[in-house]
Amino acid sequence: ETGVTQTPRHLVMGMTNKKSLKCEQHLGHNAMYWYKQSAKKPLELMFVYSLEERVENNSVPSRFSPECPNSSHLFLHLHTLQPEDSALYLCASSQGASGANVLTFGAGSRLTVL
Amino acid sequence: GQQVMQIPQYQHVQEGEDFTTYCNSSTTLSNIQWYKQRPGGHPVFLIQLVKSGEVKKQKRLTFQFGEAKKNSSLHITATQTTDVGTYFCAGPYNTDKLIFGTGTRLQVFP
C-alpha cells in the first residue's frame, strides 16, 4: 500500500462508547497530524506528532486522546463523545512538522455520534 | 480565531467561465499552499508558493502570492466540470503549524 490509510472509513457510536481511529502512512514521513472537518468549521488542526512526540495539542477536549507508537502509525482514541463531535476526521503526514512541509491526507474517517 | 479567510465562500459558474478565489491572512506568511478537495474526498495538495509576488501555473490554474506575502489567489481559466470541489489555502501560524483557510466551494454547471 502507498500513501496514507485510515480505518474505519465510517463509524457510528453512542456517547458512552469507546472507539479508536487508526491511521497508517507508507511514505516514510516523520510527522503525522489529526485534523477535524465539520460542516460548520473548516479544517481544524487537532494534534501534531513529530518523531513520535506530540508537538501540538490545539486545545482539544480530553475525550480525544491521540497515540503515536511509531512514525508510521497514529491513533485517535475516542470516549464519551458528544453529538457535536460528529465530523470527518482526517489524518495527514509530512516530511517534517514545520509549516513549510506539504501534507498528504488520508481519505478520512466519517464519525457520527448518536 | 480563524486567521485565514477565503472569499467567496461559494461560487457557481457555467462551464467555460473563469473562476477566482482569494486568500487573506492576518499575518505575513513564509509560504502558502493550496489544496483541492473533491466532493466526498480529502484535501489534495496542488502547489506551494514561497516568494513575494510569485506566480505559478498549472495548465488552466494560475496561483499568485502577494507582494506583502499576506494574500494569495487561485484563478481557473475556462472551468470544466472536473474543477468542481472546495479549494483551500493554508499557511503556517503560531507554532509554525499549517492552518487552513475557510475554503471556497466551486460548482460548475455544464
Side-chain angles (χ1 to χ4, degrees), chain A residues 35 37 42-43 45 48 55-56 88 90 97-103 105-107, chain B residues 2 31 33 35 37 41-43 45 48 88 92 95-102:
Chain A
Y35 280 84
Q37 187 174 39
L43 289 155
L45 179 61
V48 181
V55 296
E56 183 84 7
L88 180 67
L90 290 158
S98 83
N101 294 109
V102 171
L103 301 183
F105 282 88
Chain B
Q2 186 62 38
N31 79 96
Q33 300 176 26
Y35 291 77
Q37 185 173 18
H42 57 278
F45 172 74
Q48 182 178 41
F88 294 96
T95 52
D96 194 30
K97 298 301 176 285
L98 207 59
I99 302 299
F100 282 76
T102 47

PDB file of all heavy atoms in Angstrom, chain A residues 35 37 42-43 45 48 55-56 88 90 97-103 105-107, chain B residues 2 31 33 35 37 41-43 45 48 88 92 95-102:
ATOM      1  N   TYR A  35      -6.674  16.210  11.811  1.00  0.00           N
ATOM      2  CA  TYR A  35      -7.491  17.375  11.548  1.00  0.00           C
ATOM      3  C   TYR A  35      -8.961  16.960  11.676  1.00  0.00           C
ATOM      4  O   TYR A  35      -9.332  15.838  11.345  1.00  0.00           O
ATOM      5  CB  TYR A  35      -7.272  17.919  10.128  1.00  0.00           C
ATOM      6  CG  TYR A  35      -6.038  18.771   9.941  1.00  0.00           C
ATOM      7  CD1 TYR A  35      -4.807  18.185   9.690  1.00  0.00           C
ATOM      8  CD2 TYR A  35      -6.114  20.160   9.996  1.00  0.00           C
ATOM      9  CE1 TYR A  35      -3.672  18.965   9.496  1.00  0.00           C
ATOM     10  CE2 TYR A  35      -4.984  20.949   9.808  1.00  0.00           C
ATOM     11  CZ  TYR A  35      -3.773  20.347   9.551  1.00  0.00           C
ATOM     12  OH  TYR A  35      -2.649  21.120   9.358  1.00  0.00           O
ATOM     13  N   GLN A  37     -12.808  18.013  10.356  1.00  0.00           N
ATOM     14  CA  GLN A  37     -13.532  18.804   9.365  1.00  0.00           C
ATOM     15  C   GLN A  37     -15.027  18.621   9.579  1.00  0.00           C
ATOM     16  O   GLN A  37     -15.563  17.527   9.457  1.00  0.00           O
ATOM     17  CB  GLN A  37     -13.160  18.379   7.938  1.00  0.00           C
ATOM     18  CG  GLN A  37     -13.754  19.285   6.871  1.00  0.00           C
ATOM     19  CD  GLN A  37     -13.271  18.953   5.481  1.00  0.00           C
ATOM     20  OE1 GLN A  37     -13.117  17.787   5.116  1.00  0.00           O
ATOM     21  NE2 GLN A  37     -12.990  19.978   4.672  1.00  0.00           N
ATOM     22  N   PRO A  42     -13.954  25.062   9.055  1.00  0.00           N
ATOM     23  CA  PRO A  42     -13.002  24.492   8.101  1.00  0.00           C
ATOM     24  C   PRO A  42     -12.105  23.473   8.786  1.00  0.00           C
ATOM     25  O   PRO A  42     -12.347  23.098   9.920  1.00  0.00           O
ATOM     26  CB  PRO A  42     -12.204  25.722   7.653  1.00  0.00           C
ATOM     27  CG  PRO A  42     -12.256  26.645   8.822  1.00  0.00           C
ATOM     28  CD  PRO A  42     -13.621  26.439   9.429  1.00  0.00           C
ATOM     29  N   LEU A  43     -11.086  23.060   8.109  1.00  0.00           N
ATOM     30  CA  LEU A  43     -10.160  22.083   8.650  1.00  0.00           C
ATOM     31  C   LEU A  43      -9.495  22.618   9.920  1.00  0.00           C
ATOM     32  O   LEU A  43      -8.789  23.607   9.904  1.00  0.00           O
ATOM     33  CB  LEU A  43      -9.077  21.761   7.624  1.00  0.00           C
ATOM     34  CG  LEU A  43      -9.544  20.956   6.421  1.00  0.00           C
ATOM     35  CD1 LEU A  43      -8.642  21.189   5.240  1.00  0.00           C
ATOM     36  CD2 LEU A  43      -9.591  19.481   6.792  1.00  0.00           C
ATOM     37  N   LEU A  45      -6.930  21.992  12.989  1.00  0.00           N
ATOM     38  CA  LEU A  45      -5.806  21.190  13.450  1.00  0.00           C
ATOM     39  C   LEU A  45      -6.050  20.743  14.884  1.00  0.00           C
ATOM     40  O   LEU A  45      -6.370  21.565  15.755  1.00  0.00           O
ATOM     41  CB  LEU A  45      -4.514  22.005  13.373  1.00  0.00           C
ATOM     42  CG  LEU A  45      -3.246  21.320  13.845  1.00  0.00           C
ATOM     43  CD1 LEU A  45      -2.935  20.089  13.020  1.00  0.00           C
ATOM     44  CD2 LEU A  45      -2.083  22.305  13.829  1.00  0.00           C
ATOM     45  N   VAL A  48      -0.469  17.269  16.480  1.00  0.00           N
ATOM     46  CA  VAL A  48       0.679  17.058  15.604  1.00  0.00           C
ATOM     47  C   VAL A  48       1.703  16.210  16.337  1.00  0.00           C
ATOM     48  O   VAL A  48       2.006  16.485  17.513  1.00  0.00           O
ATOM     49  CB  VAL A  48       1.342  18.388  15.184  1.00  0.00           C
ATOM     50  CG1 VAL A  48       2.520  18.127  14.245  1.00  0.00           C
ATOM     51  CG2 VAL A  48       0.346  19.317  14.532  1.00  0.00           C
ATOM     52  N   VAL A  55       3.811  17.449  19.429  1.00  0.00           N
ATOM     53  CA  VAL A  55       4.344  18.798  19.414  1.00  0.00           C
ATOM     54  C   VAL A  55       3.254  19.850  19.341  1.00  0.00           C
ATOM     55  O   VAL A  55       3.523  21.050  19.381  1.00  0.00           O
ATOM     56  CB  VAL A  55       5.338  18.994  18.246  1.00  0.00           C
ATOM     57  CG1 VAL A  55       6.537  18.089  18.430  1.00  0.00           C
ATOM     58  CG2 VAL A  55       4.662  18.730  16.910  1.00  0.00           C
ATOM     59  N   GLU A  56       2.016  19.412  19.226  1.00  0.00           N
ATOM     60  CA  GLU A  56       0.919  20.363  19.166  1.00  0.00           C
ATOM     61  C   GLU A  56      -0.335  19.699  19.709  1.00  0.00           C
ATOM     62  O   GLU A  56      -0.664  18.583  19.337  1.00  0.00           O
ATOM     63  CB  GLU A  56       0.666  20.804  17.719  1.00  0.00           C
ATOM     64  CG  GLU A  56      -0.416  21.863  17.545  1.00  0.00           C
ATOM     65  CD  GLU A  56       0.096  23.264  17.767  1.00  0.00           C
ATOM     66  OE1 GLU A  56       1.305  23.427  17.932  1.00  0.00           O
ATOM     67  OE2 GLU A  56      -0.711  24.201  17.774  1.00  0.00           O
ATOM     68  N   LEU A  88     -15.804  14.689   9.969  1.00  0.00           N
ATOM     69  CA  LEU A  88     -14.822  13.907   9.224  1.00  0.00           C
ATOM     70  C   LEU A  88     -13.464  14.132   9.877  1.00  0.00           C
ATOM     71  O   LEU A  88     -13.028  15.281  10.024  1.00  0.00           O
ATOM     72  CB  LEU A  88     -14.779  14.353   7.764  1.00  0.00           C
ATOM     73  CG  LEU A  88     -13.788  13.617   6.855  1.00  0.00           C
ATOM     74  CD1 LEU A  88     -14.205  12.154   6.673  1.00  0.00           C
ATOM     75  CD2 LEU A  88     -13.677  14.317   5.502  1.00  0.00           C
ATOM     76  N   LEU A  90      -9.588  13.673   9.630  1.00  0.00           N
ATOM     77  CA  LEU A  90      -8.572  13.458   8.603  1.00  0.00           C
ATOM     78  C   LEU A  90      -7.204  13.318   9.230  1.00  0.00           C
ATOM     79  O   LEU A  90      -6.793  14.132  10.059  1.00  0.00           O
ATOM     80  CB  LEU A  90      -8.561  14.635   7.629  1.00  0.00           C
ATOM     81  CG  LEU A  90      -9.773  14.744   6.703  1.00  0.00           C
ATOM     82  CD1 LEU A  90      -9.931  16.164   6.185  1.00  0.00           C
ATOM     83  CD2 LEU A  90      -9.643  13.785   5.539  1.00  0.00           C
ATOM     84  N   ALA A  97       7.725  18.576  10.475  1.00  0.00           N
ATOM     85  CA  ALA A  97       6.492  19.109  11.074  1.00  0.00           C
ATOM     86  C   ALA A  97       6.393  20.625  10.983  1.00  0.00           C
ATOM     87  O   ALA A  97       5.549  21.218  11.632  1.00  0.00           O
ATOM     88  CB  ALA A  97       6.403  18.682  12.541  1.00  0.00           C
ATOM     89  N   SER A  98       7.205  21.267  10.199  1.00  0.00           N
ATOM     90  CA  SER A  98       7.107  22.719  10.097  1.00  0.00           C
ATOM     91  C   SER A  98       6.005  23.103   9.122  1.00  0.00           C
ATOM     92  O   SER A  98       5.542  22.288   8.327  1.00  0.00           O
ATOM     93  CB  SER A  98       8.431  23.316   9.631  1.00  0.00           C
ATOM     94  OG  SER A  98       8.535  23.240   8.221  1.00  0.00           O
ATOM     95  N   GLY A  99       5.618  24.358   9.176  1.00  0.00           N
ATOM     96  CA  GLY A  99       4.562  24.843   8.295  1.00  0.00           C
ATOM     97  C   GLY A  99       4.985  24.956   6.850  1.00  0.00           C
ATOM     98  O   GLY A  99       4.172  25.305   6.002  1.00  0.00           O
ATOM     99  N   ALA A 100       6.225  24.649   6.541  1.00  0.00           N
ATOM    100  CA  ALA A 100       6.678  24.667   5.150  1.00  0.00           C
ATOM    101  C   ALA A 100       6.498  23.320   4.477  1.00  0.00           C
ATOM    102  O   ALA A 100       6.691  23.199   3.268  1.00  0.00           O
ATOM    103  CB  ALA A 100       8.139  25.093   5.078  1.00  0.00           C
ATOM    104  N   ASN A 101       6.139  22.313   5.266  1.00  0.00           N
ATOM    105  CA  ASN A 101       6.022  20.969   4.708  1.00  0.00           C
ATOM    106  C   ASN A 101       4.638  20.728   4.122  1.00  0.00           C
ATOM    107  O   ASN A 101       3.632  21.165   4.665  1.00  0.00           O
ATOM    108  CB  ASN A 101       6.324  19.922   5.782  1.00  0.00           C
ATOM    109  CG  ASN A 101       7.771  19.974   6.247  1.00  0.00           C
ATOM    110  OD1 ASN A 101       8.060  20.382   7.353  1.00  0.00           O
ATOM    111  ND2 ASN A 101       8.669  19.571   5.374  1.00  0.00           N
ATOM    112  N   VAL A 102       4.623  19.986   3.038  1.00  0.00           N
ATOM    113  CA  VAL A 102       3.374  19.668   2.352  1.00  0.00           C
ATOM    114  C   VAL A 102       2.723  18.458   3.013  1.00  0.00           C
ATOM    115  O   VAL A 102       3.402  17.490   3.358  1.00  0.00           O
ATOM    116  CB  VAL A 102       3.666  19.367   0.867  1.00  0.00           C
ATOM    117  CG1 VAL A 102       2.436  18.824   0.172  1.00  0.00           C
ATOM    118  CG2 VAL A 102       4.180  20.617   0.173  1.00  0.00           C
ATOM    119  N   LEU A 103       1.412  18.516   3.175  1.00  0.00           N
ATOM    120  CA  LEU A 103       0.677  17.437   3.816  1.00  0.00           C
ATOM    121  C   LEU A 103       0.094  16.480   2.789  1.00  0.00           C
ATOM    122  O   LEU A 103      -0.417  16.894   1.753  1.00  0.00           O
ATOM    123  CB  LEU A 103      -0.468  18.003   4.664  1.00  0.00           C
ATOM    124  CG  LEU A 103      -0.106  18.970   5.784  1.00  0.00           C
ATOM    125  CD1 LEU A 103      -1.357  19.357   6.557  1.00  0.00           C
ATOM    126  CD2 LEU A 103       0.922  18.375   6.718  1.00  0.00           C
ATOM    127  N   PHE A 105      -2.899  13.746   2.851  1.00  0.00           N
ATOM    128  CA  PHE A 105      -4.047  13.367   3.672  1.00  0.00           C
ATOM    129  C   PHE A 105      -4.507  11.947   3.352  1.00  0.00           C
ATOM    130  O   PHE A 105      -4.383  11.473   2.215  1.00  0.00           O
ATOM    131  CB  PHE A 105      -5.231  14.309   3.423  1.00  0.00           C
ATOM    132  CG  PHE A 105      -5.099  15.633   4.111  1.00  0.00           C
ATOM    133  CD1 PHE A 105      -4.453  16.694   3.487  1.00  0.00           C
ATOM    134  CD2 PHE A 105      -5.620  15.833   5.384  1.00  0.00           C
ATOM    135  CE1 PHE A 105      -4.321  17.923   4.108  1.00  0.00           C
ATOM    136  CE2 PHE A 105      -5.491  17.063   6.014  1.00  0.00           C
ATOM    137  CZ  PHE A 105      -4.843  18.103   5.379  1.00  0.00           C
ATOM    138  N   GLY A 106      -5.082  11.311   4.383  1.00  0.00           N
ATOM    139  CA  GLY A 106      -5.814  10.084   4.171  1.00  0.00           C
ATOM    140  C   GLY A 106      -7.234  10.407   3.729  1.00  0.00           C
ATOM    141  O   GLY A 106      -7.633  11.566   3.651  1.00  0.00           O
ATOM    142  N   ALA A 107      -8.008   9.346   3.456  1.00  0.00           N
ATOM    143  CA  ALA A 107      -9.375   9.526   2.952  1.00  0.00           C
ATOM    144  C   ALA A 107     -10.338   9.971   4.038  1.00  0.00           C
ATOM    145  O   ALA A 107     -11.444  10.404   3.733  1.00  0.00           O
ATOM    146  CB  ALA A 107      -9.861   8.236   2.304  1.00  0.00           C
TER     147      ALA A 107
ATOM    148  N   GLN B   2     -10.066  32.265  13.607  1.00  0.00           N
ATOM    149  CA  GLN B   2      -9.615  31.961  12.256  1.00  0.00           C
ATOM    150  C   GLN B   2      -8.739  33.075  11.739  1.00  0.00           C
ATOM    151  O   GLN B   2      -9.081  34.250  11.818  1.00  0.00           O
ATOM    152  CB  GLN B   2     -10.832  31.780  11.344  1.00  0.00           C
ATOM    153  CG  GLN B   2     -10.498  31.316   9.953  1.00  0.00           C
ATOM    154  CD  GLN B   2      -9.821  29.952   9.932  1.00  0.00           C
ATOM    155  OE1 GLN B   2     -10.171  29.070  10.703  1.00  0.00           O
ATOM    156  NE2 GLN B   2      -8.837  29.791   9.100  1.00  0.00           N
ATOM    157  N   ASN B  31       5.180  30.918   3.592  1.00  0.00           N
ATOM    158  CA  ASN B  31       4.795  30.235   2.371  1.00  0.00           C
ATOM    159  C   ASN B  31       3.285  30.042   2.402  1.00  0.00           C
ATOM    160  O   ASN B  31       2.662  30.169   3.473  1.00  0.00           O
ATOM    161  CB  ASN B  31       5.503  28.883   2.232  1.00  0.00           C
ATOM    162  CG  ASN B  31       4.868  27.796   3.082  1.00  0.00           C
ATOM    163  OD1 ASN B  31       4.037  27.016   2.620  1.00  0.00           O
ATOM    164  ND2 ASN B  31       5.241  27.739   4.358  1.00  0.00           N
ATOM    165  N   GLN B  33       0.188  27.383   0.753  1.00  0.00           N
ATOM    166  CA  GLN B  33      -0.101  26.174  -0.009  1.00  0.00           C
ATOM    167  C   GLN B  33      -1.578  26.185  -0.409  1.00  0.00           C
ATOM    168  O   GLN B  33      -2.418  26.767   0.271  1.00  0.00           O
ATOM    169  CB  GLN B  33       0.189  24.930   0.852  1.00  0.00           C
ATOM    170  CG  GLN B  33       1.631  24.840   1.310  1.00  0.00           C
ATOM    171  CD  GLN B  33       1.884  23.667   2.222  1.00  0.00           C
ATOM    172  OE1 GLN B  33       1.187  22.654   2.176  1.00  0.00           O
ATOM    173  NE2 GLN B  33       2.900  23.781   3.071  1.00  0.00           N
ATOM    174  N   TYR B  35      -4.771  23.541  -1.659  1.00  0.00           N
ATOM    175  CA  TYR B  35      -5.262  22.174  -1.712  1.00  0.00           C
ATOM    176  C   TYR B  35      -6.642  22.164  -2.367  1.00  0.00           C
ATOM    177  O   TYR B  35      -7.399  23.131  -2.270  1.00  0.00           O
ATOM    178  CB  TYR B  35      -5.378  21.581  -0.304  1.00  0.00           C
ATOM    179  CG  TYR B  35      -4.055  21.331   0.384  1.00  0.00           C
ATOM    180  CD1 TYR B  35      -3.329  22.389   0.940  1.00  0.00           C
ATOM    181  CD2 TYR B  35      -3.534  20.051   0.500  1.00  0.00           C
ATOM    182  CE1 TYR B  35      -2.115  22.170   1.566  1.00  0.00           C
ATOM    183  CE2 TYR B  35      -2.320  19.815   1.130  1.00  0.00           C
ATOM    184  CZ  TYR B  35      -1.616  20.882   1.653  1.00  0.00           C
ATOM    185  OH  TYR B  35      -0.407  20.665   2.286  1.00  0.00           O
ATOM    186  N   GLN B  37     -10.219  19.760  -2.562  1.00  0.00           N
ATOM    187  CA  GLN B  37     -10.971  18.643  -2.001  1.00  0.00           C
ATOM    188  C   GLN B  37     -12.204  18.410  -2.860  1.00  0.00           C
ATOM    189  O   GLN B  37     -13.109  19.245  -2.907  1.00  0.00           O
ATOM    190  CB  GLN B  37     -11.377  18.930  -0.550  1.00  0.00           C
ATOM    191  CG  GLN B  37     -12.067  17.776   0.143  1.00  0.00           C
ATOM    192  CD  GLN B  37     -12.298  18.051   1.629  1.00  0.00           C
ATOM    193  OE1 GLN B  37     -12.245  19.195   2.080  1.00  0.00           O
ATOM    194  NE2 GLN B  37     -12.550  17.018   2.406  1.00  0.00           N
ATOM    195  N   GLY B  41     -14.365  13.661  -0.932  1.00  0.00           N
ATOM    196  CA  GLY B  41     -12.956  13.269  -0.912  1.00  0.00           C
ATOM    197  C   GLY B  41     -12.176  13.933   0.196  1.00  0.00           C
ATOM    198  O   GLY B  41     -12.744  14.461   1.149  1.00  0.00           O
ATOM    199  N   HIS B  42     -10.864  13.915   0.039  1.00  0.00           N
ATOM    200  CA  HIS B  42      -9.994  14.514   1.035  1.00  0.00           C
ATOM    201  C   HIS B  42      -9.122  15.566   0.366  1.00  0.00           C
ATOM    202  O   HIS B  42      -8.955  15.549  -0.859  1.00  0.00           O
ATOM    203  CB  HIS B  42      -9.123  13.434   1.691  1.00  0.00           C
ATOM    204  CG  HIS B  42      -8.303  12.652   0.702  1.00  0.00           C
ATOM    205  ND1 HIS B  42      -8.807  11.604  -0.017  1.00  0.00           N
ATOM    206  CD2 HIS B  42      -7.014  12.794   0.324  1.00  0.00           C
ATOM    207  CE1 HIS B  42      -7.861  11.113  -0.788  1.00  0.00           C
ATOM    208  NE2 HIS B  42      -6.775  11.813  -0.616  1.00  0.00           N
ATOM    209  N   PRO B  43      -8.545  16.488   1.130  1.00  0.00           N
ATOM    210  CA  PRO B  43      -7.712  17.527   0.521  1.00  0.00           C
ATOM    211  C   PRO B  43      -6.488  16.934  -0.153  1.00  0.00           C
ATOM    212  O   PRO B  43      -5.818  16.056   0.391  1.00  0.00           O
ATOM    213  CB  PRO B  43      -7.317  18.396   1.714  1.00  0.00           C
ATOM    214  CG  PRO B  43      -8.357  18.135   2.746  1.00  0.00           C
ATOM    215  CD  PRO B  43      -8.733  16.692   2.571  1.00  0.00           C
ATOM    216  N   PHE B  45      -2.924  18.157  -2.200  1.00  0.00           N
ATOM    217  CA  PHE B  45      -2.005  19.280  -2.422  1.00  0.00           C
ATOM    218  C   PHE B  45      -1.950  19.644  -3.904  1.00  0.00           C
ATOM    219  O   PHE B  45      -1.867  18.778  -4.782  1.00  0.00           O
ATOM    220  CB  PHE B  45      -0.614  18.872  -1.935  1.00  0.00           C
ATOM    221  CG  PHE B  45       0.468  19.867  -2.277  1.00  0.00           C
ATOM    222  CD1 PHE B  45       0.563  21.059  -1.586  1.00  0.00           C
ATOM    223  CD2 PHE B  45       1.379  19.591  -3.283  1.00  0.00           C
ATOM    224  CE1 PHE B  45       1.561  21.974  -1.895  1.00  0.00           C
ATOM    225  CE2 PHE B  45       2.382  20.494  -3.601  1.00  0.00           C
ATOM    226  CZ  PHE B  45       2.474  21.688  -2.912  1.00  0.00           C
ATOM    227  N   GLN B  48       2.689  25.047  -3.848  1.00  0.00           N
ATOM    228  CA  GLN B  48       3.233  25.847  -2.766  1.00  0.00           C
ATOM    229  C   GLN B  48       3.929  27.073  -3.342  1.00  0.00           C
ATOM    230  O   GLN B  48       4.675  26.972  -4.324  1.00  0.00           O
ATOM    231  CB  GLN B  48       4.245  25.020  -1.953  1.00  0.00           C
ATOM    232  CG  GLN B  48       4.826  25.758  -0.766  1.00  0.00           C
ATOM    233  CD  GLN B  48       5.790  24.886   0.026  1.00  0.00           C
ATOM    234  OE1 GLN B  48       6.591  24.149  -0.535  1.00  0.00           O
ATOM    235  NE2 GLN B  48       5.696  24.959   1.334  1.00  0.00           N
ATOM    236  N   PHE B  88      -8.810  25.105  -0.800  1.00  0.00           N
ATOM    237  CA  PHE B  88      -8.304  25.654   0.455  1.00  0.00           C
ATOM    238  C   PHE B  88      -6.906  26.214   0.277  1.00  0.00           C
ATOM    239  O   PHE B  88      -6.063  25.594  -0.372  1.00  0.00           O
ATOM    240  CB  PHE B  88      -8.203  24.558   1.526  1.00  0.00           C
ATOM    241  CG  PHE B  88      -9.509  23.977   1.980  1.00  0.00           C
ATOM    242  CD1 PHE B  88      -9.996  22.805   1.430  1.00  0.00           C
ATOM    243  CD2 PHE B  88     -10.244  24.600   2.987  1.00  0.00           C
ATOM    244  CE1 PHE B  88     -11.192  22.259   1.861  1.00  0.00           C
ATOM    245  CE2 PHE B  88     -11.440  24.056   3.420  1.00  0.00           C
ATOM    246  CZ  PHE B  88     -11.918  22.888   2.852  1.00  0.00           C
ATOM    247  N   PRO B  92       1.450  28.633   7.506  1.00  0.00           N
ATOM    248  CA  PRO B  92       1.942  28.344   8.860  1.00  0.00           C
ATOM    249  C   PRO B  92       1.640  29.492   9.820  1.00  0.00           C
ATOM    250  O   PRO B  92       1.857  30.650   9.512  1.00  0.00           O
ATOM    251  CB  PRO B  92       3.455  28.196   8.656  1.00  0.00           C
ATOM    252  CG  PRO B  92       3.755  29.010   7.453  1.00  0.00           C
ATOM    253  CD  PRO B  92       2.525  29.013   6.591  1.00  0.00           C
ATOM    254  N   THR B  95       2.646  28.283  16.145  1.00  0.00           N
ATOM    255  CA  THR B  95       3.749  27.361  16.392  1.00  0.00           C
ATOM    256  C   THR B  95       4.254  26.733  15.097  1.00  0.00           C
ATOM    257  O   THR B  95       4.760  25.616  15.101  1.00  0.00           O
ATOM    258  CB  THR B  95       3.305  26.260  17.362  1.00  0.00           C
ATOM    259  OG1 THR B  95       2.096  25.680  16.865  1.00  0.00           O
ATOM    260  CG2 THR B  95       3.064  26.829  18.736  1.00  0.00           C
ATOM    261  N   ASP B  96       4.102  27.459  13.993  1.00  0.00           N
ATOM    262  CA  ASP B  96       4.614  27.008  12.697  1.00  0.00           C
ATOM    263  C   ASP B  96       3.925  25.740  12.217  1.00  0.00           C
ATOM    264  O   ASP B  96       4.550  24.868  11.628  1.00  0.00           O
ATOM    265  CB  ASP B  96       6.136  26.773  12.773  1.00  0.00           C
ATOM    266  CG  ASP B  96       6.762  26.647  11.382  1.00  0.00           C
ATOM    267  OD1 ASP B  96       6.235  27.263  10.446  1.00  0.00           O
ATOM    268  OD2 ASP B  96       7.750  25.901  11.243  1.00  0.00           O
ATOM    269  N   LYS B  97       2.637  25.630  12.510  1.00  0.00           N
ATOM    270  CA  LYS B  97       1.860  24.513  12.011  1.00  0.00           C
ATOM    271  C   LYS B  97       0.882  25.036  10.961  1.00  0.00           C
ATOM    272  O   LYS B  97       0.438  26.181  11.014  1.00  0.00           O
ATOM    273  CB  LYS B  97       1.102  23.816  13.145  1.00  0.00           C
ATOM    274  CG  LYS B  97       2.033  23.214  14.187  1.00  0.00           C
ATOM    275  CD  LYS B  97       2.973  22.214  13.588  1.00  0.00           C
ATOM    276  CE  LYS B  97       3.981  21.668  14.597  1.00  0.00           C
ATOM    277  NZ  LYS B  97       5.045  22.617  14.922  1.00  0.00           N
ATOM    278  N   LEU B  98       0.558  24.145  10.017  1.00  0.00           N
ATOM    279  CA  LEU B  98      -0.244  24.561   8.877  1.00  0.00           C
ATOM    280  C   LEU B  98      -1.703  24.753   9.277  1.00  0.00           C
ATOM    281  O   LEU B  98      -2.347  23.831   9.772  1.00  0.00           O
ATOM    282  CB  LEU B  98      -0.117  23.503   7.786  1.00  0.00           C
ATOM    283  CG  LEU B  98      -0.303  23.971   6.343  1.00  0.00           C
ATOM    284  CD1 LEU B  98       0.722  25.042   5.995  1.00  0.00           C
ATOM    285  CD2 LEU B  98      -0.170  22.801   5.395  1.00  0.00           C
ATOM    286  N   ILE B  99      -2.207  25.961   9.057  1.00  0.00           N
ATOM    287  CA  ILE B  99      -3.597  26.285   9.351  1.00  0.00           C
ATOM    288  C   ILE B  99      -4.309  26.545   8.031  1.00  0.00           C
ATOM    289  O   ILE B  99      -3.792  27.276   7.179  1.00  0.00           O
ATOM    290  CB  ILE B  99      -3.704  27.526  10.250  1.00  0.00           C
ATOM    291  CG1 ILE B  99      -2.940  27.293  11.553  1.00  0.00           C
ATOM    292  CG2 ILE B  99      -5.169  27.849  10.541  1.00  0.00           C
ATOM    293  CD1 ILE B  99      -3.443  26.136  12.379  1.00  0.00           C
ATOM    294  N   PHE B 100      -5.495  25.967   7.879  1.00  0.00           N
ATOM    295  CA  PHE B 100      -6.220  26.051   6.631  1.00  0.00           C
ATOM    296  C   PHE B 100      -7.211  27.207   6.623  1.00  0.00           C
ATOM    297  O   PHE B 100      -7.776  27.569   7.656  1.00  0.00           O
ATOM    298  CB  PHE B 100      -6.964  24.742   6.361  1.00  0.00           C
ATOM    299  CG  PHE B 100      -6.061  23.665   5.851  1.00  0.00           C
ATOM    300  CD1 PHE B 100      -5.203  22.996   6.707  1.00  0.00           C
ATOM    301  CD2 PHE B 100      -6.054  23.333   4.507  1.00  0.00           C
ATOM    302  CE1 PHE B 100      -4.342  22.012   6.236  1.00  0.00           C
ATOM    303  CE2 PHE B 100      -5.199  22.353   4.027  1.00  0.00           C
ATOM    304  CZ  PHE B 100      -4.348  21.690   4.898  1.00  0.00           C
ATOM    305  N   GLY B 101      -7.411  27.760   5.451  1.00  0.00           N
ATOM    306  CA  GLY B 101      -8.412  28.788   5.252  1.00  0.00           C
ATOM    307  C   GLY B 101      -9.812  28.205   5.278  1.00  0.00           C
ATOM    308  O   GLY B 101      -9.998  26.996   5.394  1.00  0.00           O
ATOM    309  N   THR B 102     -10.787  29.080   5.157  1.00  0.00           N
ATOM    310  CA  THR B 102     -12.187  28.687   5.250  1.00  0.00           C
ATOM    311  C   THR B 102     -12.676  27.958   4.008  1.00  0.00           C
ATOM    312  O   THR B 102     -13.711  27.321   4.043  1.00  0.00           O
ATOM    313  CB  THR B 102     -13.057  29.926   5.478  1.00  0.00           C
ATOM    314  OG1 THR B 102     -12.668  30.953   4.559  1.00  0.00           O
ATOM    315  CG2 THR B 102     -12.870  30.448   6.891  1.00  0.00           C
TER     316      THR B 102
END
